PDB file of all heavy atoms in Angstrom:
ATOM      1  N   PHE A  38     -20.090  -5.084 -25.062  1.00 93.00           N
ATOM      2  CA  PHE A  38     -19.702  -5.296 -26.453  1.00 93.00           C
ATOM      3  C   PHE A  38     -20.707  -4.622 -27.381  1.00 93.00           C
ATOM      4  O   PHE A  38     -21.907  -4.901 -27.326  1.00 93.00           O
ATOM      5  CB  PHE A  38     -19.625  -6.792 -26.757  1.00 93.00           C
ATOM      6  CG  PHE A  38     -18.745  -7.119 -27.927  1.00 93.00           C
ATOM      7  CD1 PHE A  38     -17.413  -7.436 -27.741  1.00 93.00           C
ATOM      8  CD2 PHE A  38     -19.248  -7.086 -29.218  1.00 93.00           C
ATOM      9  CE1 PHE A  38     -16.588  -7.720 -28.825  1.00 93.00           C
ATOM     10  CE2 PHE A  38     -18.444  -7.378 -30.301  1.00 93.00           C
ATOM     11  CZ  PHE A  38     -17.116  -7.688 -30.108  1.00 93.00           C
ATOM     12  N   VAL A  62      -1.133  -7.836 -16.655  1.00 95.00           N
ATOM     13  CA  VAL A  62      -0.484  -6.635 -17.181  1.00 95.00           C
ATOM     14  C   VAL A  62       0.937  -6.542 -16.634  1.00 95.00           C
ATOM     15  O   VAL A  62       1.253  -7.039 -15.545  1.00 95.00           O
ATOM     16  CB  VAL A  62      -1.265  -5.362 -16.811  1.00 95.00           C
ATOM     17  CG1 VAL A  62      -2.594  -5.328 -17.534  1.00 95.00           C
ATOM     18  CG2 VAL A  62      -1.468  -5.246 -15.309  1.00 95.00           C
ATOM     19  N   GLU A  91       0.059  -6.179 -22.117  1.00 94.00           N
ATOM     20  CA  GLU A  91      -1.142  -6.843 -21.601  1.00 94.00           C
ATOM     21  C   GLU A  91      -1.455  -8.121 -22.365  1.00 94.00           C
ATOM     22  O   GLU A  91      -1.301  -8.193 -23.578  1.00 94.00           O
ATOM     23  CB  GLU A  91      -2.337  -5.891 -21.695  1.00 94.00           C
ATOM     24  CG  GLU A  91      -3.651  -6.487 -21.243  1.00 94.00           C
ATOM     25  CD  GLU A  91      -4.798  -5.509 -21.408  1.00 94.00           C
ATOM     26  OE1 GLU A  91      -4.621  -4.315 -21.067  1.00 94.00           O
ATOM     27  OE2 GLU A  91      -5.861  -5.926 -21.885  1.00 94.00           O
ATOM     28  N   LEU A  99     -24.325 -12.596 -26.479  1.00 92.00           N
ATOM     29  CA  LEU A  99     -24.958 -11.566 -27.302  1.00 92.00           C
ATOM     30  C   LEU A  99     -26.376 -11.969 -27.695  1.00 92.00           C
ATOM     31  O   LEU A  99     -26.620 -13.110 -28.097  1.00 92.00           O
ATOM     32  CB  LEU A  99     -24.123 -11.321 -28.562  1.00 92.00           C
ATOM     33  CG  LEU A  99     -22.665 -10.907 -28.324  1.00 92.00           C
ATOM     34  CD1 LEU A  99     -21.862 -11.014 -29.607  1.00 92.00           C
ATOM     35  CD2 LEU A  99     -22.597  -9.499 -27.753  1.00 92.00           C
ATOM     36  N   PRO A 108     -42.612  -6.966 -27.257  1.00 86.00           N
ATOM     37  CA  PRO A 108     -43.742  -7.915 -27.271  1.00 86.00           C
ATOM     38  C   PRO A 108     -44.733  -7.644 -28.392  1.00 86.00           C
ATOM     39  O   PRO A 108     -45.290  -8.585 -28.978  1.00 86.00           O
ATOM     40  CB  PRO A 108     -44.378  -7.705 -25.888  1.00 86.00           C
ATOM     41  CG  PRO A 108     -43.244  -7.249 -25.020  1.00 86.00           C
ATOM     42  CD  PRO A 108     -42.393  -6.400 -25.909  1.00 86.00           C
ATOM     43  N   LEU A 136       0.870   3.041 -24.183  1.00 95.00           N
ATOM     44  CA  LEU A 136       1.717   4.026 -23.518  1.00 95.00           C
ATOM     45  C   LEU A 136       0.819   4.858 -22.621  1.00 95.00           C
ATOM     46  O   LEU A 136      -0.115   5.515 -23.095  1.00 95.00           O
ATOM     47  CB  LEU A 136       2.428   4.912 -24.538  1.00 95.00           C
ATOM     48  CG  LEU A 136       3.469   5.880 -23.961  1.00 95.00           C
ATOM     49  CD1 LEU A 136       4.621   5.124 -23.304  1.00 95.00           C
ATOM     50  CD2 LEU A 136       4.002   6.820 -25.051  1.00 95.00           C
ATOM     51  N   ARG A 144       7.059   9.987  -9.483  1.00 88.00           N
ATOM     52  CA  ARG A 144       7.906   9.884  -8.294  1.00 88.00           C
ATOM     53  C   ARG A 144       7.158  10.335  -7.048  1.00 88.00           C
ATOM     54  O   ARG A 144       7.246   9.689  -5.997  1.00 88.00           O
ATOM     55  CB  ARG A 144       9.165  10.723  -8.475  1.00 88.00           C
ATOM     56  CG  ARG A 144      10.049  10.260  -9.615  1.00 88.00           C
ATOM     57  CD  ARG A 144      11.352  11.027  -9.635  1.00 88.00           C
ATOM     58  NE  ARG A 144      12.152  10.688 -10.799  1.00 88.00           N
ATOM     59  CZ  ARG A 144      13.423  11.001 -10.941  1.00 88.00           C
ATOM     60  NH1 ARG A 144      14.044  11.683  -9.994  1.00 88.00           N
ATOM     61  NH2 ARG A 144      14.087  10.646 -12.024  1.00 88.00           N
ATOM     62  N   ASP A 145       6.437  11.448  -7.135  1.00 89.00           N
ATOM     63  CA  ASP A 145       5.672  11.928  -5.982  1.00 89.00           C
ATOM     64  C   ASP A 145       4.602  10.919  -5.586  1.00 89.00           C
ATOM     65  O   ASP A 145       4.361  10.689  -4.389  1.00 89.00           O
ATOM     66  CB  ASP A 145       5.019  13.268  -6.307  1.00 89.00           C
ATOM     67  CG  ASP A 145       6.035  14.386  -6.445  1.00 89.00           C
ATOM     68  OD1 ASP A 145       7.205  14.180  -6.043  1.00 89.00           O
ATOM     69  OD2 ASP A 145       5.662  15.462  -6.969  1.00 89.00           O
ATOM     70  N   ALA A 147       4.689   7.632  -6.077  1.00 87.00           N
ATOM     71  CA  ALA A 147       5.327   6.455  -5.498  1.00 87.00           C
ATOM     72  C   ALA A 147       5.750   6.675  -4.048  1.00 87.00           C
ATOM     73  O   ALA A 147       5.826   5.721  -3.262  1.00 87.00           O
ATOM     74  CB  ALA A 147       6.540   6.050  -6.330  1.00 87.00           C
ATOM     75  N   ASP A 150       1.798   7.201   0.265  1.00 91.00           N
ATOM     76  CA  ASP A 150       0.687   6.269   0.450  1.00 91.00           C
ATOM     77  C   ASP A 150      -0.630   7.036   0.513  1.00 91.00           C
ATOM     78  O   ASP A 150      -0.716   8.120   1.091  1.00 91.00           O
ATOM     79  CB  ASP A 150       0.871   5.469   1.733  1.00 91.00           C
ATOM     80  CG  ASP A 150       1.989   4.443   1.621  1.00 91.00           C
ATOM     81  OD1 ASP A 150       2.534   4.286   0.520  1.00 91.00           O
ATOM     82  OD2 ASP A 150       2.317   3.817   2.653  1.00 91.00           O
ATOM     83  N   VAL A 214      -8.840   5.791 -19.865  1.00 98.00           N
ATOM     84  CA  VAL A 214      -8.653   6.825 -18.858  1.00 98.00           C
ATOM     85  C   VAL A 214      -8.879   6.164 -17.499  1.00 98.00           C
ATOM     86  O   VAL A 214      -9.769   5.332 -17.353  1.00 98.00           O
ATOM     87  CB  VAL A 214      -9.621   8.010 -19.074  1.00 98.00           C
ATOM     88  CG1 VAL A 214     -11.070   7.565 -19.060  1.00 98.00           C
ATOM     89  CG2 VAL A 214      -9.387   9.090 -18.030  1.00 98.00           C
ATOM     90  N   LEU A 220      -1.694   2.001  -2.495  1.00 96.00           N
ATOM     91  CA  LEU A 220      -2.162   1.193  -1.369  1.00 96.00           C
ATOM     92  C   LEU A 220      -1.058   0.986  -0.344  1.00 96.00           C
ATOM     93  O   LEU A 220      -1.259   1.174   0.864  1.00 96.00           O
ATOM     94  CB  LEU A 220      -2.666  -0.153  -1.894  1.00 96.00           C
ATOM     95  CG  LEU A 220      -3.336  -1.083  -0.891  1.00 96.00           C
ATOM     96  CD1 LEU A 220      -4.618  -0.466  -0.354  1.00 96.00           C
ATOM     97  CD2 LEU A 220      -3.653  -2.428  -1.567  1.00 96.00           C
ATOM     98  N   GLY A 232     -11.795   1.871 -24.019  1.00 96.00           N
ATOM     99  CA  GLY A 232     -12.529   1.633 -25.254  1.00 96.00           C
ATOM    100  C   GLY A 232     -11.621   0.953 -26.257  1.00 96.00           C
ATOM    101  O   GLY A 232     -10.448   1.301 -26.378  1.00 96.00           O
ATOM    102  N   ASN A 259     -15.803  -2.297 -28.117  1.00 95.00           N
ATOM    103  CA  ASN A 259     -16.284  -2.570 -26.770  1.00 95.00           C
ATOM    104  C   ASN A 259     -15.816  -1.505 -25.787  1.00 95.00           C
ATOM    105  O   ASN A 259     -14.912  -0.716 -26.066  1.00 95.00           O
ATOM    106  CB  ASN A 259     -15.874  -3.974 -26.296  1.00 95.00           C
ATOM    107  CG  ASN A 259     -14.385  -4.123 -26.076  1.00 95.00           C
ATOM    108  OD1 ASN A 259     -13.746  -3.299 -25.418  1.00 95.00           O
ATOM    109  ND2 ASN A 259     -13.791  -5.186 -26.615  1.00 95.00           N
ATOM    110  N   TRP A 261     -14.662  -1.489 -21.686  1.00 96.00           N
ATOM    111  CA  TRP A 261     -14.269  -2.401 -20.602  1.00 96.00           C
ATOM    112  C   TRP A 261     -13.906  -1.575 -19.380  1.00 96.00           C
ATOM    113  O   TRP A 261     -13.026  -0.715 -19.437  1.00 96.00           O
ATOM    114  CB  TRP A 261     -13.093  -3.245 -21.080  1.00 96.00           C
ATOM    115  CG  TRP A 261     -12.630  -4.293 -20.115  1.00 96.00           C
ATOM    116  CD1 TRP A 261     -13.058  -4.516 -18.840  1.00 96.00           C
ATOM    117  CD2 TRP A 261     -11.639  -5.297 -20.355  1.00 96.00           C
ATOM    118  NE1 TRP A 261     -12.410  -5.577 -18.276  1.00 96.00           N
ATOM    119  CE2 TRP A 261     -11.531  -6.073 -19.188  1.00 96.00           C
ATOM    120  CE3 TRP A 261     -10.821  -5.599 -21.460  1.00 96.00           C
ATOM    121  CZ2 TRP A 261     -10.634  -7.138 -19.081  1.00 96.00           C
ATOM    122  CZ3 TRP A 261      -9.939  -6.658 -21.340  1.00 96.00           C
ATOM    123  CH2 TRP A 261      -9.845  -7.422 -20.175  1.00 96.00           C
ATOM    124  N   ASN A 263     -12.119  -1.790 -16.016  1.00 95.00           N
ATOM    125  CA  ASN A 263     -11.152  -2.649 -15.336  1.00 95.00           C
ATOM    126  C   ASN A 263     -10.958  -2.253 -13.880  1.00 95.00           C
ATOM    127  O   ASN A 263     -10.835  -1.071 -13.555  1.00 95.00           O
ATOM    128  CB  ASN A 263      -9.769  -2.544 -16.009  1.00 95.00           C
ATOM    129  CG  ASN A 263      -9.684  -3.353 -17.280  1.00 95.00           C
ATOM    130  OD1 ASN A 263     -10.134  -4.487 -17.315  1.00 95.00           O
ATOM    131  ND2 ASN A 263      -9.134  -2.760 -18.317  1.00 95.00           N
TER     132      ASN A 263
END
Side-chain angles (χ1 to χ4, degrees):
F38 203 93
V62 292
E91 178 182 317
L99 302 167
L136 187 63
R144 297 187 186 194
D145 291 347
D150 288 354
V214 58
L220 186 64
N259 68 49
W261 184 355
N263 282 316

